[in-house]
Amino acid sequence: MINSPALDYCLTPGVLVILAGCILTCAHGWGQRLLVLAMPIVALLKLWNYAADAQWSCAAAGFNLQLLHVTSAGRLFATAFIIALWLGGMFALQSASRAELASAFVYAGSAISVTLCGDLVTLFLFWELMALASTMVIWSHVAGGEATRRAGLRYLLVHLFGGVVLLAGIAGMAASGADLTLGIIHGDSLARWLILIGFLVNAGAPPLSFWIADAYPASSPSGMVFLAAFTTKTAVYVLLSYFAGTTLLISVGLYMAVYGAVYAVRETNVRRILAYSVVNQVGFMVVAVGIGTPTALNGATAHAFAHIMYKTVLLLGAGSVLLSVGKDQAADLGNLARRMPWTTACVIVGALASMGVPLTSSFVTKSLIIQAASEQQLLWSWIILTVCSAAVVFNAGVRFPWLTFLQSQQSAAVEQGRDPALLSRVALGGGAGVCVLVGVFPQQLYALLPFAGSYHPYSLSHVVEQLQLLVPAALLFFATLPLFSVMPQRQLDTDWLLRKPLFIVWQDFVLQLFALGLRGRSMAVSSFIRGFKIVFRHHGPRGVLSRSWPTGSIALWVAILLASYVVLFNL
Amino acid sequence: MKKSSEHCSLRRRLMAVLAVITLCLAGLDLVVHHHSVECILPDFARYVVLSLLGSLALIGLALVLGAVLSRKEDYYDK
């Protein structure tokens, strides 16, 4: 029997949101709106009602499942997820299908549960639920057609692969009797590396970074808001919780930061630009986890929070454009600022926050990561992070708002552009407001970070440094603008291996083998049937040997047999 | 056509303003002292140099890779 406090702990904010998602599958009208708008608030209140070290576990299948293990980092990640869910849900009410809303809530609830659980087995259960629900978010964009279905399938394949590797690692650890509870995994065992690989797949680490830019833009305008907020950031959280200080992550994160920046420069699909920007910024967080000092881990946590907020605003903006204009290619957009003033203003705030302009969120969070690299005298990491910090101008910072709202009008479709409905405008404004609030009152965010520290981002030198990085980069952006075509194009990535050679091997070899096997089987079956018919014809009830023969014939045959015997005997 | 030329002139004006601001920001290093990693880069206008060189490297890399990796949008649909 579950007593009341147990029920209180059992119904964690994540589980509540998942239950809301289940109800949303059949809710509509006011009930649906009430759930979408109220449930994130209920979950947020519940999250902050827990004690700072609240824990609750239950035994199942021989495992001690810690459904609740509140940590400072986990609580901040969960808070960001709930806010993103609330803003995304508000926006999604305008256009999303019931299936998408329900999937998004289950997806968000799983992500929240990952940040609040206290052991690897519970984490795995919610991890896989997250993979399935996020795939449903992609597939629920029915208007995307075959392209969306295929992108969702590739996304699912990558995440199932990551899940299998993660499960193998967890099983390995369990078999060796290692502790599966929340905490840094030490040692150099194969199981540890498998778990790390499983986590990195979800972070968009190389060589599987492609899935972010492949799957996210294939989802609906509101679906991408949810997708960009949860999967990669839960990966950052689990890396931070289980692999802080693993120096390999510095190289992985630097690659991601450069990869995202380089690919975004040539990208012409505005939602794909934002997807590459996600990889770029998650790279910063992965580097910070690899550095592993208190400042770095604080930086990773704070920047994850800031990133979720400003990316939500930017994607809400991109979603509003896609909903009203029906286009997401730069060659079809431009000059929307006059037609969509509210969206443009909010997107510009989000873009400033993404670049880390003073008085916005990223200015007070990303600097912690770069400061940590500087404190550890990691020269190349510091240089690459600083350059990638300036390079945000070339993706989410200036390029995205320029191509979407400010460049000259590229097509007649733009004439249909208009700001979204009231709830969506509130979502946009709310997200932009959080970006500014975090930037203006950074100490309130710093107080919630996992490690105590004294940070003062608003020094004259830091403000000047940041502007010295951003302004020349913006100058170069405008100077080199004519070098880059806005015509739609596809950039090859490692998914090319999956989609061309492996696909050909699959089509021309594996499927042919299957077909050959099927043909062989049908031949064997038909031969068996033919043989059976022959046997039946001779030995069946009407067969030659079971017929009634006349006595004379039998006597004749017996005489022939006896004569043959006599002849053979005398030879 | 007219709108496009308007945007060209807007871009040129923006570049001029940004160039002036860049020079002013670089000049601020005469009075502002920065704390960062010891390296071969000059202390004066270090971040401006990093930004310009880094961005140029990024653009160069994107152009080179773009020539190799760019395909038509329907590449995978064929």
Side-chain angles (χ1 to χ4, degrees):
Chain A
M1 186 178 152
I2 300 172
N3 58 19
S4 174
L7 186 67
D8 188 41
Y9 278 107
C10 175
L11 286 176
T12 62
V15 173
L16 270 180
V17 173
I18 292 172
L19 288 177
C22 296
I23 300 169
L24 277 171
T25 53
C26 52
H28 53 85
W30 278 104
Q32 185 189 53
R33 281 181 208 172
L34 191 69
L35 264 178
V36 169
L37 296 178
M39 191 47 79
I41 297 171
V42 173
L44 192 64
L45 291 174
K46 196 164 175 55
L47 175 69
W48 284 94
N49 267 335
Y50 286 133
D53 54 351
Q55 292 187 29
W56 187 79
S57 58
C58 64
F63 290 106
N64 186 32
L65 303 180
Q66 282 200 27
L67 281 171
L68 186 71
H69 184 133
V70 177
T71 60
S72 307
R75 181 135 65 180
L76 203 56
F77 273 86
T79 303
F81 290 160
I82 293 171
I83 297 173
L85 174 69
W86 191 58
L87 297 174
M90 220 185 277
F91 179 76
L93 278 173
Q94 185 189 346
S95 60
S97 64
R98 207 188 296 171
E100 183 184 316
L101 268 175
S103 313
F105 266 68
V106 174
Y107 175 32
S110 316
I112 295 164
S113 298
V114 167
T115 61
L116 294 178
C117 72
D119 70 286
L120 283 168
V121 177
T122 316
L123 182 147
F124 177 77
L125 296 176
F126 287 118
W127 193 262
E128 288 306 293
L129 184 59
M130 204 168 71
L132 296 175
S134 53
T135 308
M136 289 309 298
V137 170
I138 298 171
W139 277 341
S140 56
H141 180 42
V142 181
E146 185 62 13
T148 294
R149 195 189 65 78
R150 289 187 174 199
L153 196 59
R154 286 191 293 275
Y155 175 88
L156 185 63
L157 278 175
V158 169
H159 284 82
L160 289 184
F161 165 74
V164 168
V165 175
L166 177 61
L167 180 62
I170 296 171
M173 281 193 67
S176 64
D179 187 16
L180 297 181
T181 53
L182 185 72
I184 303 296
I185 303 174
H186 296 287
D188 204 24
S189 63
L190 175 65
R192 178 181 183 269
W193 287 108
L194 289 175
I195 293 174
L196 179 61
I197 292 169
F199 287 165
L200 282 174
V201 168
N202 268 29
L208 298 175
S209 308
F210 67 82
W211 64 261
I212 296 178
D214 180 33
Y216 286 5
S219 61
S220 72
S222 48
M224 191 171 169
V225 178
F226 300 118
L227 290 165
F230 304 132
T231 302
T232 49
K233 259 59 78 183
T234 44
V236 170
Y237 169 74
V238 293
L239 286 172
L240 192 146
S241 302
Y242 292 93
F243 290 96
T246 305
T247 46
L248 171 75
L249 292 176
I250 298 176
S251 314
V252 172
L254 289 176
Y255 174 88
M256 289 170 70
V258 174
Y259 163 92
V262 170
Y263 268 77
V265 170
R266 289 189 64 88
E267 188 51 61
T268 53
N269 180 310
V270 292
R271 293 208 302 164
R272 224 179 275 154
I273 290 174
L274 295 179
Y276 283 124
S277 163
V278 170
V279 186
N280 169 256
Q281 292 303 303
V282 171
F284 277 78
M285 298 167 216
V286 173
V287 170
V289 174
I291 295 172
T293 60
T295 304
L297 298 179
N298 279 345
T301 311
H303 193 50
F305 183 89
H307 180 250
I308 291 169
M309 292 305 123
Y310 71 70
K311 198 62 80 187
T312 297
V313 176
L314 294 174
L315 287 166
L316 288 175
S320 302
V321 170
L322 184 56
L323 276 176
S324 65
V325 178
K327 307 282 180 188
D328 57 4
Q329 283 289 349
D332 300 318
L333 298 172
N335 204 22
L336 278 164
R338 281 180 201 159
R339 293 181 174 84
M340 303 177 75
W342 181 259
T343 310
T344 308
C346 293
V347 162
I348 285 174
V349 171
L352 293 175
S354 75
M355 290 189 288
V357 169
L359 298 178
T360 62
S361 55
S362 210
F363 177 76
V364 302
T365 58
K366 206 187 294 177
S367 55
L368 294 182
I369 299 172
I370 296 174
Q371 183 188 328
S374 168
E375 282 171 0
Q376 296 301 305
Q377 294 295 314
L378 299 168
L379 176 64
W380 282 105
S381 301
W382 177 79
I383 288 177
I384 294 173
L385 289 180
T386 306
V387 168
C388 286
S389 193
V392 177
V393 164
F394 293 88
N395 48 67
V398 176
R399 192 152 188 267
F400 165 66
W402 175 264
L403 292 179
T404 311
F405 299 99
L406 303 169
Q407 69 165 336
S408 56
Q409 184 175 328
Q410 302 290 307
S411 78
V414 169
E415 316 271 333
Q416 300 164 19
R418 62 178 188 281
D419 275 327
L422 178 65
L423 266 181
S424 302
R425 291 205 300 273
V426 171
L428 271 160
V434 175
C435 292
V436 174
L437 278 176
V438 170
V440 175
F441 304 107
Q443 297 305 333
Q444 273 69 13
L445 178 69
Y446 292 159
L448 304 175
L449 295 177
F451 299 95
S454 175
Y455 309 114
H456 302 285
Y458 285 106
S459 64
L460 179 62
S461 66
H462 183 214
V463 172
V464 170
E465 280 164 18
Q466 194 63 12
L467 293 176
Q468 283 181 336
L469 275 178
L470 296 175
V471 176
L475 172 63
L476 264 183
F477 168 77
F478 287 112
T480 58
L481 205 52
L483 291 178
F484 297 100
S485 160
V486 292
M487 293 315 290
Q489 57 183 345
R490 171 77 61 176
Q491 297 189 82
L492 299 189
D493 204 328
T494 45
D495 63 335
W496 178 81
L497 289 170
L498 197 69
R499 300 171 73 174
K500 283 284 180 183
L502 279 179
F503 187 69
I504 290 167
V505 167
W506 174 259
Q507 290 271 21
D508 295 351
F509 186 70
V510 181
L511 288 185
Q512 291 296 330
L513 269 182
F514 275 129
L516 200 67
L518 283 175
R519 271 203 298 273
R521 198 181 67 173
S522 64
M523 272 174 68
V525 169
S526 61
S527 307
F528 178 76
I529 291 170
R530 211 178 305 135
F532 183 79
K533 279 180 177 171
I534 290 167
V535 171
F536 192 81
R537 192 162 59 233
H538 292 289
H539 299 279
R542 292 183 184 179
V544 177
L545 298 175
S546 59
R547 274 186 221 153
S548 301
W549 291 72
T551 314
S553 297
I554 291 172
L556 178 67
W557 277 108
V558 170
I560 290 170
L561 281 172
L562 282 172
S564 310
Y565 175 75
V566 170
V567 170
L568 285 171
F569 184 78
N570 290 305
L571 278 177
Chain B
M1 202 67 173
K2 190 185 167 194
K3 276 189 179 172
S4 184
S5 65
E6 271 176 24
H7 272 80
C8 274
S9 73
L10 169 70
R11 191 171 67 86
R12 273 196 293 272
R13 268 179 290 167
L14 269 172
M15 282 168 56
V17 171
L18 289 170
V20 172
I21 297 174
T22 301
L23 288 175
C24 294
L25 284 167
L28 273 177
D29 273 1
L30 294 170
V31 287
V32 178
H33 178 68
H34 303 289
H35 302 279
S36 67
V37 178
E38 292 295 323
C39 66
I40 52 164
L41 289 168
D43 277 344
F44 178 75
R46 172 181 283 195
Y47 286 89
V48 174
V49 171
L50 253 180
S51 176
L52 287 173
L53 290 181
S55 299
L56 278 174
L58 176 79
I59 291 164
L61 194 60
L63 287 172
V64 171
L65 284 177
V68 181
L69 300 177
S70 288
R71 296 287 185 279
K72 286 182 180 172
E73 180 70 5
D74 60 350
Y75 174 72
Y76 286 118
D77 302 329
K78 287 175 184 169

